[in-house]
Each structure stands twice: as C-alpha cells, then as structure tokens.
Amino acid sequence: MNQKYIIKFEQGTLEQSYKLAETDVIGGVNGIFEFLDETFIKQVLVNFANMRMNFIAAYQRYE
C-alpha cells in the first residue's frame, strides 16, 4: 500500500484512518502496536464522540 501502514478504527457508521510510512515505524508491524498507546486510543474515542455530535447536528439541520 505505497509503503504505508493504514490504521483504521470503526465505530458504528463512523471511521477514522491513519497512515504511517513504513520508514517511520520502528519494528515493523509490532512497532505499530507500541504507537497505539492508551493515550492515543482515548483520543480516538474522543474524536468519535465529536464526529457523532457533528453528524447528528448536520442531520438535524437537514430535517
């Protein structure tokens, strides 16, 4: 995939994707799991909450 790792998170209908160049990751695939620490995962969840609020607000304006 163009020498990139793609990390994808899904929650319901929402999705977040992150791309990391292979050269930026030490230790290959195992290095990605070190990158995905508790702080990062917590922020992903916050992002999902914000995405959901934005989507609901847009949907309410549409009605």
Side-chain angles (χ1 to χ4, degrees):
M1 299 205 195
N2 299 331
Q3 286 106 30
K4 290 187 171 97
Y5 293 110
I6 299 173
I7 304 164
K8 190 181 292 190
F9 297 91
E10 295 181 8
Q11 189 181 71
T13 59
L14 303 174
E15 181 178 292
Q16 295 179 56
S17 296
Y18 299 87
K19 296 179 183 179
L20 294 169
E22 286 181 358
T23 56
D24 291 340
V25 179
I26 299 171
V29 174
N30 291 333
I32 292 174
F33 291 104
E34 292 178 22
F35 175 81
L36 301 175
D37 63 3
E38 186 177 341
T39 302
F40 184 84
I41 298 297
K42 284 181 181 180
Q43 190 57 54
V44 166
L45 294 173
V46 169
N47 291 344
F48 273 126
N50 288 331
M51 290 169 70
R52 187 161 314 287
M53 280 187 340
N54 292 337
F55 183 81
I56 290 170
Y59 186 77
Q60 289 172 342
R61 288 190 305 272
Y62 175 73
E63 291 183 325

